[in-house]
Every structure is written in structure tokens, then in C-alpha cells.
Amino acid sequence: MQTELLLAEADALLARGRAHNAARLLTPFVGREPENVGGWQRMARARLDLGDPAEALVAAQAAWHLDPYGTESLHWLSAAHSHLGDHAEAIAAAAAACREDPGNPRLHNRLAQAQLAAGLPTDAAEGLRCVVDMAGWDADLMVTYGMALFAIGRPLSAREAVGRALAIDFGHAGARSALHAFAAAMSTAVDAASLALAADDYAESLRIHPGRPPLRRPGAVRSATGYVARMTLSWFLAVLAGAGLLDAAGLLTVPSSLYVALLCAAGTAGCVFALTDQSRSRA
């Protein structure tokens, strides 16, 4: 029961974009229970959210060795390999997951993402063409399909697919980001030749080359900022309380200007933490 509660707490932290907190929670747990597959899977996700694919791969491989046919382990193994530019391994792991559970759109989405990262948009679009007919209710899948369509030079179909994602989830951040990227790419397209060039440039932007530093997700950045702000707020409040106690006991004379400075600093840190926490809740 305690293990289930801890994993549920990790899931909640990850869902709110607090990957740093989730990693801190999971690190001693997987140390105590190295045979727990779920702990390693969540650790892989947390490390990817923090922009650390090398450590994510270590965690994903630990989960995969414990559960070599588990689709969740294969999913995170594929994702970690993709972020490191190990595309053959990423595609193989995602394809294996799809074979284990062929009706799961999330796994087909991972396979298509691995193919896009490898510079294979035609394979991604073709692979998703039949899947979206069966799982058109999955917004993430529709966004990836739209990205693949744009990368092979079909911008109208790409916008339609992303539009379907927004119809499913109007606030879908990935869909809105994709539309912005489409608009930027199309700004240079004036004829068939320039459209083909824009599609090629877009496809290239989706590729992950070995050794290229991975882009941090917005949620991970917000999580790190919020964590620093929270810790700063805690320190300022502790100093403020300590100064007040020493002043009250007559052991130290604290000038009023110092109280004002500490209160202002604590208030600023509190505002930053509140804003980042609100942003995570909306994400």
C-alpha cells in the first residue's frame, strides 16, 4: 500500500510538471526497491522532463530488463533513445511496443515520434494514416499526424489534423505550437518549389541528431523556476523569523530597513512561485 501511494504521488507530481520533485521522491525509492518496474518507468519520465536523456535511458533500461515485453517500459526506452539520437533503437523499441498492444494509440504515437526524430516523416505519416481512423479521438496522435503530414509537404491536411486535435482539446499546447510552426514555415512558401523547401526545413527541425543538446520542455523549465522560488521563499522567511526572535530576545538589534528588505524579497519569491505553480496547473 505504501508503494502504491508513493507511485501515485510521483504520478501527480509529474502530471503537474514537477519533475524535479518526482525525481527526488523516486531516487531513494528505486534504491530501496530496485526490482520495482513502476518506479524506474516514472524515473525515466522524470529525467526526460528534466532534459536529462542519459539518466532517463539508465532508468528506462532498468525497467526494460525487469519487464522486457512491457509496453510502458518499451515506451520510455524508445523515448530516451530518441532524445539521445539513437534512432534505430528508438524505432525498434516503439515497434515492439506496438506489436505487444497494437490497439494502443499512445504507442503508435511514440513510434511516429521516433520516426520523425530520425528524419523519416513519410514512414511516420504512412504508419499513422490507418491508426487515426481508429483512434481519431486522441489529440496527441492527431498532432503528431499533422506534423508528419506537414513534413511531407501536405500543409492543408496537416492543419486539418491539428484542427481535429484542437476540437478534441481546445487548450492542447502541442496543437497550438504546431500551428505556430506551420505558419512560420509557410511564410516563405510562394510556389510549389518553396513549399517543398519549407516542408524539408520543417522536417529537419523535427530531427534529433546524436550529440545535440535536447530542448527542455516548458513544463520542466517552469518546474525548476518554481522550485528555486519556493526554496528562496523558505530561506527568506526563515531568516526573517530568526531575526525577529533574536531581536525580541534582545540578543541582536535588527534595523527596520532589514525587515523591509526581507519582506520585499520574500514577497517577490512568493509571487514567482505562485505564478509558476499556476502555469503548471494550466499546462
Side-chain angles (χ1 to χ4, degrees):
M1 180 62 70
Q2 185 176 2
T3 295
E4 293 176 359
L5 290 174
L6 186 144
L7 294 179
E9 183 179 354
D11 286 335
L13 290 169
L14 290 167
R16 295 189 63 187
R18 297 182 176 180
H20 189 278
N21 298 60
R24 290 183 61 188
L25 177 70
L26 290 166
T27 298
F29 172 72
V30 294
R32 293 192 307 269
E33 298 188 25
E35 302 298 314
N36 190 289
V37 177
W40 287 115
Q41 291 168 347
R42 289 162 176 83
M43 179 64 84
R45 176 183 172 183
R47 290 301 179 189
L48 281 177
D49 284 351
L50 291 170
D52 189 358
E55 288 299 318
L57 180 60
V58 172
Q61 286 176 330
W64 177 68
H65 284 303
L66 293 168
D67 183 26
Y69 300 104
T71 57
E72 190 70 10
S73 298
L74 287 167
H75 177 280
W76 293 114
L77 183 66
S78 172
H81 275 304
S82 279
H83 280 73
L84 288 169
D86 305 329
H87 299 304
E89 293 86 347
I91 291 172
C98 290
R99 288 193 296 271
E100 292 296 324
D101 187 3
N104 190 331
R106 177 169 172 262
L107 302 178
H108 288 282
N109 188 50
R110 169 86 288 275
L111 175 58
Q113 289 174 335
Q115 291 165 333
L116 288 174
L120 302 171
T122 301
D123 291 352
E126 184 61 27
L128 289 182
R129 185 171 60 84
C130 296
V131 179
V132 296
D133 291 336
M134 299 181 294
W137 44 264
D138 190 297
D140 292 338
L141 190 73
M142 296 308 303
V143 171
T144 304
Y145 186 44
M147 293 167 65
L149 289 172
F150 196 97
I152 62 173
R154 296 176 56 188
L156 295 180
S157 297
R159 286 181 176 275
E160 181 182 355
V162 175
R164 288 175 62 184
L166 287 173
I168 298 166
D169 179 3
F170 184 73
H172 196 285
R176 297 192 176 279
S177 177
L179 287 179
H180 286 305
F182 294 169
M186 288 296 292
S187 65
T188 60
V190 294
D191 53 22
S194 57
L195 173 60
L197 182 60
D200 289 343
D201 288 343
Y202 177 76
E204 180 62 25
S205 73
L206 301 177
R207 291 189 64 185
I208 298 177
H209 297 273
R212 175 187 293 177
L215 295 176
R216 288 184 178 271
R217 299 181 183 181
V221 175
R222 288 195 299 266
S223 178
T225 304
Y227 175 76
V228 172
R230 187 175 73 253
M231 295 302 297
T232 302
L233 174 61
S234 299
W235 277 107
F236 277 130
L237 291 177
V239 172
L240 185 63
L245 290 173
L246 291 173
D247 196 6
L251 299 176
L252 179 68
T253 301
V254 181
S256 58
S257 59
L258 180 59
Y259 281 119
V260 173
L262 288 172
L263 284 172
C264 289
T268 301
C271 288
V272 173
F273 172 65
L275 288 172
T276 53
D277 190 63
Q278 185 180 27
S279 298
R280 284 194 304 270
S281 298
R282 289 177 179 175

